[in-house]
Every structure is written in structure tokens, then in C-alpha cells.
Amino acid sequence: MPCILFALLCLAFFPLAARADPPAKAVHAIAMHGDPAYPPDFAHFAYVNPDAPKGGTLRQAVTGGFDTLNPHVVKGVAALGLGFVFETMLSRSWDEPFSLYGLLAEGLEVPEDRSTATFHLNPAARWHDGTPVTAADVLFSLEVQRAHGTPNRRQFYAKVASAAALDERTVRFAFAPGPDGRFDREMPLLMGLMPIHAKAWWAGRDFAATTLDPPLGSGPYRVKQAEAGRRIVYERVADYWGRDLPSRRGLFNADTLDFTYYRDDSVALEAFLAGQGDVRRESDPAKWATGYDGPALRDGRIVLEELPHRRPEFARGLIFNTRRPPFQDIRVRRALGLATDFAWIGKTLFHGALVRTASYYPNSELAAEGLPGPEELAVLEPFRDRLPPALFSTPFTLPHTDGSGPAGGRGNLREALRLLAEAGWRVSGGRLTDGAGRPFAFEILLGNPADERVALEYARSLDRLGIAATVRTVDNAQYQGRLDRFDFDMTLGWWVSSLSPGNEQLYYYGSEAAGQPGSRNYPGIRDPAVDAIAASIAAARTRADLVARVRALDRVLLWGHYMVPLFHSPADRMARWSRLKHPEATPLYGPLVESWWIEEGG
């Protein structure tokens, strides 16, 4: 029997070793830091309308494609909306940095040191076929996701030292201590967010494979129709077991969710304008400025709103793959960040509506600014000899340009050529070559045609340095496959974090993840300082401590020049047909479409 299989069987069938745990009492919710905002008797979240009418179809015209209905494995591209089919033991409050409330589990017990977590399943929790959700389903979900899940889940769940069903509705996890003897304080919350799968349904099926069989779930919706790459339709479960839970009240109001896929975002926009979509989140400022004009907008049938939020925005950029030789030299990466007048791009392509991204946690209190303060310095000091001296003495800033185009960045181009010469590159016949006469040439891989404008402009800027950069756009499945294999020179990609980052930061930037196919460590970062700081984030005991550690990590990543940062928006731009309504309050993390409802007479 393979060792991993034996270990997984042990998790399911062997009881927990006896240990003297600190006393714990059952609670209705848990927060990463401090106390949850809502009391045990809360009726609903503040950002929903508990009396929202039910009914209608909510349609969205989206881009891309899909080839699987299992979003929890590496293989395939999952359809949108599957999070409404699968449920977790606890549910997030989107108005708090990181707090979880009862869902499949009606309560939990966690000791002060967070060495264990005991979940008590709600006796009403049911799969869509009417069978109860049991502790066996929870243990099965841990087993298959530790063996076949996405790399981040395998990384998290590896910290579970043992697991056992105390009875049919009670599951207890014990966690392995870290090298310092302390327990990862995020683990009880991560286990609360583990997707739960029906053990009986998966019997005889390959969990690691792609599948278009509608999965058995316990959530508010089930898959009604799925056409790979084209369309997926969900129907609301009429007798959904959790409809009256405080964490569910006022949510999931549409009877039907309809996602229609398009290859091109401009076509998806036209579908929305033609009434084939009800809501659209607009990421292109140019389309926001001019693309919606027409009778429906002018007479109020289409409504455009900019809804502010306080979450970290997407950290988007042109990401270097440092596994490839040209980009292993930080001087080369710095030089290529100097090549383009991004002020001109922002003004010309994006109507000046976006902000240049200067953080891996933009638009939030987690972004590093100025010089490191005392709390940050305490985090950074052990790694001073490994970090650039300028990190401690100079605020990180993006290259300045005047927005006039190529001529506006001549000083930056001179500095770029100096750095490239220092790294061993020379201009010969108008092209940049290495010591062996090989030209500096690479490919920028894209998965979205909408990104071509920025990538082509960047490539034209590099041509002025004698670098030949070609832009290649591939279909969604091929793009994801190449990302998973790290088969690219540079790509336009992104990361996004919550207001309470934790273990996933190692999945994004840790050395171990750099060699894991399918991980989000696209640049291939292998830096002990990054590893240590990222690993320490989940151990933060207070909010202030967490903020200091994340800012320190942000600063180290920025000075590593792993990407050429692009732009972000400080607000969500939402277009909707007027029959679609939303609550007055917008949560901390931004608009939540599942809290919106349809007024058929609108």
C-alpha cells in the first residue's frame, strides 16, 4: 500500500492520540483576530436585504471557457458559479477582514492555542438528494483534497496531524506544530472553509479527473445544464436546507443563474447591451467611459455605478518567469521595468481612470508605503544581510514618466541600458545580445485578447532597447495549462489577497510552491526571506502584528522586481439592468451579486 494512502486511511479510522488540550467551549463563529462582529443571536448580515424577493433569472455574459465541474483539483478549467453548489462548514462575513459563521457546522470548539478544531455539523444539513451531511463526508473531503486537490489546499491540509469522527456529526482535527512549537492560528479557519464533498457520490469516480457530471452538492443551487466552454445554468434548490440560516438569509435570490461564455469581452459586452445579461463587472475604463452609451443607458434601463470598497485590489502585472535564464538576473528585471511610459498608457488606453499598482496588496492598509516603521523593521531585521540595502533607506517607488509617450522616458531608457550592460548585454546591429551573440528575445503569453493592447505597447517599448518581445494569445484551456506547467517567459497575470492574508501567501510566493505545477508562484520566487515572512503571517496574534508582517512581505516582493506592475481601480464598476436591485449597504469586500434580487416589473 502506498505510504500516502496508508496515511490517509489512518486519518479516517484511527482515533486521536490522547493529549491535554486547553479547555474550549462551543462558539457560533470565529475571527482570525479579535472577536466576530455578529453575536450568537444575529438574524442576518448587515449588507443583505433579508426581505429580498425570490425569483427570476440572473444572466451573466462572461469570457473564457470551462471543461470541468470540479473546481477543487488542478486538472481543467472550472465553470463559474460552482461555489454555489459546494458548501463549507463555515461561511465568511464579507464585512469583516476574516470572520466565519455557521453553515454546514452549527458551531465549533477551538482552544486558545488553536491546536485543534472540533466542528459540530448542523443536523439539518442535507445533500441535494436528501441524505444528511455527515462526519464521514468531511473526512473524505480532507482525504481526497490532500491527495488530489489544488497545491494550496494540499499545502494547508498537510498541517492536519490527525482527524477523527467523534460521532456521526462531530469532527475533530488536531494540527501539527511548527518548528517553533507553535500552532498555525489560521488552520481552524481554513478547515472551516474546506469544501465538503459527498463521499457516496464520488464512490467509483476519479476525483482527480475533469468531469461534466453535475456534482452532488449541499448548496443553494444545483447544476441544471452544462455545455462545456459555452454555457452553464444553475437552478435554485427549492427545499435548500440552509435557506433560513443567519449566514444565508437575504442571499441567493434568483431562481436561475445563467452564465453564457464568449471568447471576446467586446462580444460579451454587446450581449449585455442586447439584454442577454443582467449584470456586468467592468474592468476596462475605456469601455466604461464610452462602451455603454445608447438609448438603454440614457433612459435609465441600464444603470452604471461605481461602488467603492476597502479590500486589496488585484495586483496585476507583466510577470517574469525567473526559471528562465534572462530573468534570473534582478538587474535585467529592473531594466525591463523602466522601458515603458505607463503614465501615457494609463491616460491613452484607460482614460486616466486607473491607478498604477505599487503593491501586492493595493488599495488596502496592507500596502507598504514610505520607509518601514518599527513593527516592520522588527520583521525585516533578521534578513537584513539578504535584502537590498535600499529597502531600509529608500521608499519603493515606480519609475516616473511624464505621460508624453516614448520621449518622456528617455532617462529611464538610459538607466535600463546601463543595468543591462552591467548584466552582460550589449547592443549589436540595433539588437541586444549576450556575450555569445544571442539576441534578447522572449514571448509574452496572454489568455485574454483584451490584454493585447498593454502587452503590445510594452513590447514596442522594449524594441527601443533592442529587445524582441512577441505577444502570443492562446485559448483559455491552453493558457491555463501553460501557466500550470510554468511554460512561459512572461505573462500578464495577477494575485489577489483578502484583508487577512495567511497560508496562501506561501502558495503565491513560497519556494516550495515554485516547483509545484499549478501553484500561483508564477515568477518562481525562491527566497528564504520571503518564505520566513510569508510563513509567519498566519501566526500573527493581533491585527497590528498581521499588518506589519504583510507590509514587510510586500516590501520584499516589490524590491525583488518579479513583475512590471500595471493598474488597478479603487472602486468596482458595475453595470446592471434596472430590474436588478441591490442592498443599500456595500460590504467591506465590495458588491456581492448573490445578495441582489430581480424586480420583474422594473
Side-chain angles (χ1 to χ4, degrees), residues 65-85:
F66 70 94
D67 59 8
T68 185
L69 301 182
N70 182 3
H72 303 131
V73 293
V74 173
K75 244 181 167 181
V77 177
L80 293 173
L82 288 167
F84 304 140
V85 175

Side-chain angles (χ1 to χ4, degrees), residues 31 44 47 75 98 106 148 234 314 369 378 409 447 484 505 533:
H44 58 82
Y47 50 82
K75 244 181 167 181
F98 195 10
E106 61 182 353
H148 307 297
Y234 301 88
F314 286 76
E369 295 180 348
D484 289 344
Q505 302 302 297
I533 297 172

Side-chain angles (χ1 to χ4, degrees), residues 441-518:
F442 67 93
E443 179 185 86
I444 304 172
L445 178 69
L446 304 178
N448 186 346
D451 292 329
E452 290 176 354
R453 293 180 303 165
V454 171
L456 288 169
E457 190 58 44
Y458 180 67
R460 281 191 283 270
S461 300
L462 294 180
D463 188 62
R464 290 191 285 273
L465 292 173
I467 297 172
T470 57
V471 176
R472 184 181 182 194
T473 305
V474 298
D475 64 58
N476 191 263
Q478 187 179 356
Y479 178 72
Q480 190 60 52
R482 289 187 61 178
L483 276 190
D484 289 344
R485 300 190 304 273
F486 309 121
D487 180 20
F488 62 90
D489 299 320
M490 171 181 273
T491 188
L492 198 158
W494 51 267
W495 295 274
V496 65
S497 296
S498 74
L499 282 164
S500 184
N503 285 280
E504 80 286 345
Q505 302 302 297
L506 285 168
Y507 174 62
Y508 290 174
Y509 313 119
S511 296
E512 185 177 346
Q516 290 179 339

Side-chain angles (χ1 to χ4, degrees), residues 286-325:
K287 290 174 181 171
W288 184 256
T290 62
Y292 291 83
D293 190 32
L297 180 64
R298 290 193 287 271
D299 65 22
R301 284 176 293 149
I302 288 179
V303 179
L304 303 184
E305 297 175 299
E306 294 192 18
L307 301 175
H309 61 77
R310 290 167 287 162
R311 68 175 187 269
E313 257 297 349
F314 286 76
R316 298 182 78 245
L318 292 156
I319 300 170
F320 299 106
N321 185 354
T322 65
R323 302 170 188 85
R324 303 284 170 97

Side-chain angles (χ1 to χ4, degrees), residues 187-480:
M187 282 307 297
L189 289 88
L190 293 177
M191 300 313 296
L193 291 177
M194 180 176 70
I196 306 303
H197 293 266
K199 181 179 180 180
W201 189 84
W202 282 100
R205 290 181 167 94
D206 182 0
F207 188 85
T210 60
T211 179
L212 290 174
D213 289 342
L216 181 64
S218 62
Y221 293 95
R222 61 165 61 95
V223 176
K224 179 181 180 181
Q225 176 186 350
E227 302 173 52
R230 298 182 61 189
R231 188 181 182 213
I232 184 163
V233 180
Y234 301 88
E235 61 181 359
R236 188 155 57 84
V237 178
D239 59 349
Y240 169 48
W241 74 273
R243 61 186 177 275
D244 294 323
L245 291 176
S247 62
R248 286 310 203 217
R249 195 168 291 133
L251 298 170
F252 315 115
N253 301 309
D255 283 342
T256 306
L257 304 178
D258 188 332
F259 296 88
T260 301
Y261 284 79
Y262 296 88
R263 294 286 184 185
D264 185 87
D265 187 65
S266 295
V267 179
L269 172 58
E270 291 303 318
F272 170 82
L273 295 173
Q276 296 170 24
D278 297 299
V279 61
R280 173 180 164 89
R281 190 184 298 265
E282 184 56 75
S283 59
D284 186 339
K287 290 174 181 171
W288 184 256
T290 62
Y292 291 83
D293 190 32
L297 180 64
R298 290 193 287 271
D299 65 22
R301 284 176 293 149
I302 288 179
V303 179
L304 303 184
E305 297 175 299
E306 294 192 18
L307 301 175
H309 61 77
R310 290 167 287 162
R311 68 175 187 269
E313 257 297 349
F314 286 76
R316 298 182 78 245
L318 292 156
I319 300 170
F320 299 106
N321 185 354
T322 65
R323 302 170 188 85
R324 303 284 170 97
F327 304 132
Q328 290 169 355
D329 193 318
I330 192 172
R331 295 168 296 187
V332 171
R333 303 198 298 271
R334 282 179 57 199
L336 269 60
L338 291 162
T340 304
D341 185 349
F342 281 102
W344 179 85
I345 288 179
K347 180 174 59 177
T348 305
L349 300 185
F350 302 127
H351 293 252
L354 298 183
V355 178
R356 183 86 191 276
T357 299
S359 170
Y360 284 74
Y361 312 91
N363 196 56
S364 77
E365 65 172 337
L366 303 173
E369 295 180 348
L371 292 174
E375 296 84 1
E376 272 189 79
L377 284 174
V379 178
L380 295 166
E381 194 61 42
F383 313 102
R384 182 179 282 269
D385 61 342
R386 300 191 57 91
L387 298 172
L391 181 149
F392 295 92
S393 62
T394 307
F396 181 88
T397 56
L398 296 171
H400 174 74
T401 56
D402 62 13
S404 61
R410 285 177 179 168
N412 289 338
L413 291 178
R414 285 193 293 271
E415 174 63 9
L417 286 170
R418 186 193 69 78
L419 288 166
L420 290 165
E422 192 176 294
W425 294 89
R426 298 288 182 272
V427 176
S428 175
R431 309 312 300 170
L432 202 65
T433 61
D434 63 11
R438 292 180 294 249
F440 195 150
F442 67 93
E443 179 185 86
I444 304 172
L445 178 69
L446 304 178
N448 186 346
D451 292 329
E452 290 176 354
R453 293 180 303 165
V454 171
L456 288 169
E457 190 58 44
Y458 180 67
R460 281 191 283 270
S461 300
L462 294 180
D463 188 62
R464 290 191 285 273
L465 292 173
I467 297 172
T470 57
V471 176
R472 184 181 182 194
T473 305
V474 298
D475 64 58
N476 191 263
Q478 187 179 356
Y479 178 72
Q480 190 60 52

